[in-house]
């Protein structure tokens, strides 16, 4: 990676830091950047999961949050799978 390439992992981490501090709008923007610039499935999955939980729990965007979590699940994110199972109260999602 060159110095001019966006670092999707850094964007995701910044999103998480803003998320934890309660600055949800900035968190959302950094998660968006992480998703847009990521070329690695694991980082993209984590960013989708983080953005999904942010939308679902804190921004009152339940449907958008579920869509993000579904995408993270497709990328193999276990945390997204577990969270979806909890909110849907359907343990079969774990399989």
């Amino acid at each position: 990676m060159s110095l001019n390439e966006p670092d999707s992992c850094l964007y995701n981490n910044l999103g998480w830091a803003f998320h934890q501090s309660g600055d949800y709008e900035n968190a959302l923007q950094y998660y968006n950047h992480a998703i847009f610039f990521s070329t690695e499935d694991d980082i993209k999955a984590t960013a989708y999961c983080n953005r999904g939980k942010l939308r679902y729990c804190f921004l009152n965007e339940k449907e958008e949050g579920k869509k993000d979590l579904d995408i993270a699940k497709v990328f193999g994110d276990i945390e997204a799978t577990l969270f979806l199972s909890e909110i849907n109260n359907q343990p079969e999602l774990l399989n």
Side-chain angles (χ1 to χ4, degrees):
M1 176 168 76
S2 76
L3 291 177
N4 293 328
E5 288 182 32
D7 185 340
S8 57
C9 187
L10 176 63
Y11 285 137
N12 186 62
N13 290 341
L14 285 168
W16 182 249
F18 280 113
H19 188 155
Q20 292 301 301
S21 73
D23 187 346
Y24 303 133
E25 292 305 317
N26 274 320
L28 182 64
Q29 292 306 311
Y30 279 105
Y31 290 146
N32 290 340
H33 290 320
I35 291 165
F36 181 79
F37 290 113
S38 181
T39 58
E40 299 175 41
D41 287 352
D42 60 333
I43 295 172
K44 196 172 286 248
T46 301
Y48 269 114
C49 181
N50 289 341
R51 187 175 78 175
K53 291 194 298 183
L54 174 73
R55 286 175 150 176
Y56 190 90
C57 295
F58 298 101
L59 298 179
N60 200 28
E61 298 175 359
K62 304 285 190 211
E63 290 306 311
E64 294 88 347
K66 282 185 179 181
K67 288 177 188 175
D68 283 347
L69 291 162
D70 282 332
I71 293 168
K73 181 182 172 190
V74 169
F75 279 109
D77 191 280
I78 298 298
E79 190 175 341
T81 303
L82 293 171
F83 192 82
L84 282 167
S85 178
E86 285 182 33
I87 62 177
N88 292 322
N89 197 19
Q90 297 175 352
E92 67 269 19
L93 286 177
L94 296 173
N95 297 327

